[in-house]
Each structure stands twice: as structure tokens, then as C-alpha cells.
Amino acid sequence: MKMAFVGKGGSGKTTLAALVARHLAAAATPAALLAIDADINQHLAAALGISEDEAVLLPSLGDHLDKIKEYLRGDNPRISSAAAMVKTTPPGQGSRLLRVDEPNPIYDALVRPVGGVRLAVTGPFATEDLGVACYHSKVGAVELLLNHLVDGPGEYVVVDMTAGADSFASGLFTRFDATFLVCEPTLRSVGVYRQYIGYARDFGVRVHVIGNKIDDESDVSFLRDHVGDDLLTWISRSGFVRAAERGAPQPIGELEAANRQALDRIRSTVDGVSKDWPRYTAQAVEFHLRNAQAWGNARSGEDLAAQVDPAFVLGPQRLELARHH
């Protein structure tokens, strides 16, 4: 299952993404797991337990976009070159597909173990990008990976997304089986929730709200009044989290019992989602055609609609076909 963590800046979405990833990795039967930091602020590595100085040394997806494209293109005859691939290019016959934990050159080069979790980072917005580049071009590496990734039972991808409604600058927000919006009991945080669901529900994206920094029942009541049944669970103010933020992380088993139960609820919610590979593929194609008309055709000098393989549906059956060929 692929899950996204979104919310207002400062709401704790990165903290929640890290807690869920560590919880999954430390389970009695550890999950096949990949965490991805797709936030411009790039704090997930630190939230998983390494220093900011160590985090900046991690290889970044955004700096290796050409290599990612070249690998994923494979021998797909509809894609003329890696340069012709854009962030929304969907897979087709001949494309290379990814599994969550199956070795491949992309993972070898760009995924590193951090705090017991396999992590890939988009990379920071560099000084040379200022005024001339769009951060979404870097996040495009994540969209390409998710468009080519087939996840199965007991396999999870945890993605820390950009803050607020900025996620809607691409089709990336449709690439998840579950979207968790982390919401503080404040009007500003609830405002981001309302903005987010206004976009998400137009595309059938179900948003589950995770209350964070909860002190008492009045905080829970406030969130229920504003988000209703979308409130899935909540995380109380945590000495465990506070210690980690002060540079003294503890084993995930030391997390408060009530907060561990909230993480269990998040996992069970994800596990209860039914996969819909035809819809997943159709949405990828829809956003690819939108981007092709808006800017992709002009930039590439090609009709990028020709990259769409109309007979191709992503899913486990494609892995079986690839193995037999």
C-alpha cells in the first residue's frame, strides 16, 4: 500500500510519517517498506533519527532524474528517449517496473537505511535552482517511481509530501491508496484540511484526518466538530516525540501505548483498502495527457500522448508477464 502524509506546515506530518515508518519496520513481522521524503524541507531523515549534517549527505532522487528515466524506460517502444520522458509518463509494454523491496539499480544508488527504514529523498531546493527552477521537477522523480511501482500485500510506501495544498501542483496526490492529513486542533490547520479535501474529492481521493498535538478531549471535540467522520485517530502530546526532537530518539517500542494504538489504526486502515489498478492506471494517463497539452509537447517537441499504451494496466499481472518474457 502507498500512503501519503500531508498537512499544514508545522502540523507534524513529517513526525507522523516517521512514526508510522518506524512502527511498520519494527513490527513482529517487519513490513517490506520504502519511505520517501517528497517535501521541499527534507526533514524525514532527521525525524528517523540521524543528524541534519548526515541527512544532507544522502543521495537525492532529483539529482539523478535522467538515470531514473533511463532505467524505467527499459525498451518501451513508445518512448523515444529518456529525455522525452516527463514526470507523468506512464509505464507501458517494455517499461521496467519496481517492487517495494526487490533490488534494482535505482534503489542501489539512491535508497539508504536510516533508523531501520529504507529511505529515498527528493533532495533540497538548491541555491542554483532559485529563480530558475521549479521544485516540482524534482518531485517528478517520486511521481515516476510511483507510476512504475507494483506493491503487494504486506508491502508499504510511506511518503512525506509537501505542506498544504501544494501537493496538487502535479498528479502525485492521486498515487496513494490512503492519504493521511495531519491536523492540529486549530482553525488554520482545519483550513488546510478544507482546502485539501476540496481538491481531493474531485478525484475520488479519500482523506483520513490524524489529529496531532492533542492535549485533552476538548481538542478531539474541536476536530470532530470541523472534520466529522474524516477524523480517524489522534496522537497525544508525546514525551517520546519531544525527546526525539531534542536529539535523543528512543526505540519505537517506548512510544506511549495510546499513540501506538493510533499507529495500529493507521496501518489497519491502509490494509483495509482494496486495490484498484485499472483506476490507478487511468488516473496516471489522465494527468499525463493534461501535462502533455499544458507544457510537455512544447517542451519535448513530441506528441507525448503517443507514450500512452492503451492496452497496459499496471498491477501484479504485469510482473508475471515480465517474468515469463
Side-chain angles (χ1 to χ4, degrees):
M1 291 292 174
K2 307 177 184 76
M3 65 187 93
F5 287 84
V6 301
K8 180 181 73 67
S11 64
K13 66 179 181 59
T14 299
T15 298
L16 259 294
L19 287 175
V20 169
R22 293 182 64 195
H23 185 66
L24 290 169
T29 303
L33 175 66
L34 176 65
I36 302 176
D37 193 343
D39 187 357
I40 190 170
N41 293 310
Q42 298 287 283
H43 292 316
L44 185 55
L48 288 170
I50 66 174
S51 70
E52 295 285 359
D53 289 341
E54 292 173 301
V56 299
L57 299 178
L58 294 172
S60 67
L61 300 173
D63 289 340
H64 297 83
L65 189 54
D66 290 342
K67 292 180 181 179
I68 293 171
K69 290 179 178 180
E70 188 61 56
Y71 179 78
L72 295 177
R73 181 171 73 101
D75 58 6
N76 184 336
R78 295 177 178 273
I79 304 174
S80 61
S81 67
M85 289 184 76
V86 294
K87 62 184 181 180
T88 54
T89 296
Q93 186 67 37
S95 297
R96 290 192 176 99
L97 304 181
L98 306 174
R99 295 297 306 272
V100 171
D101 63 348
E102 193 171 78
N104 61 67
I106 295 175
Y107 292 170
D108 292 344
L110 302 173
V111 174
R112 296 291 182 269
V114 176
V117 174
R118 294 165 56 245
L119 174 67
V121 302
T122 301
F125 197 76
T127 303
E128 59 267 24
D129 296 328
L130 295 177
V132 296
C134 172
Y135 183 69
H136 300 109
S137 63
K138 295 178 180 289
V139 178
V142 180
E143 193 165 353
L144 275 170
L145 291 181
L146 296 185
N147 275 346
H148 290 74
L149 191 146
V150 178
D151 46 314
E155 299 177 344
Y156 301 89
V157 182
V158 176
V159 182
D160 181 22
M161 296 282 282
T162 53
D166 197 43
S167 304
F168 293 97
S170 74
L172 185 56
F173 74 97
T174 67
R175 302 296 80 200
F176 303 101
D177 300 295
T179 296
F180 298 105
L181 190 144
V182 181
C183 193
E184 301 167 271
T186 67
L187 289 175
R188 285 187 61 197
S189 201
V190 167
V192 171
Y193 156 79
R194 290 187 178 131
Q195 185 182 26
Y196 203 98
I197 61 169
Y199 294 124
R201 286 180 176 164
D202 288 342
F203 291 90
V205 174
R206 174 68 194 278
V207 176
H208 304 278
V209 174
I210 312 298
N212 194 31
K213 305 177 186 178
I214 301 300
D215 285 318
D216 52 36
E217 184 58 36
S218 69
D219 288 340
V220 177
S221 296
F222 176 89
L223 289 175
R224 281 204 180 103
D225 288 344
H226 286 84
V227 310
D229 292 341
D230 284 342
L231 180 62
L232 177 70
T233 188
W234 54 89
I235 300 290
S236 299
R237 288 207 185 262
S238 167
F240 176 94
V241 171
R242 187 162 56 249
E245 291 174 343
R246 292 175 176 176
Q250 301 168 320
I252 190 67
E254 299 299 316
L255 182 67
E256 299 85 359
N259 289 336
R260 288 202 307 273
Q261 290 174 3
L263 300 185
D264 286 335
R265 181 75 186 277
I266 292 169
R267 179 175 187 170
S268 64
T269 298
V270 173
D271 289 343
V273 176
S274 297
K275 285 283 193 185
D276 188 344
W277 289 108
R279 180 171 174 268
Y280 189 83
T281 303
Q283 286 182 325
V285 169
E286 176 185 353
F287 276 93
H288 179 63
L289 296 177
R290 287 187 182 199
N291 280 267
Q293 291 182 352
W295 57 269
N297 291 345
R299 182 175 298 179
S300 66
E302 298 184 19
D303 178 9
L304 297 185
Q307 293 180 343
V308 175
D309 183 342
F312 186 92
V313 176
L314 189 67
Q317 76 285 351
R318 284 293 166 184
L319 296 175
E320 292 301 318
L321 287 173
R323 290 190 182 104
H324 284 96
H325 288 84

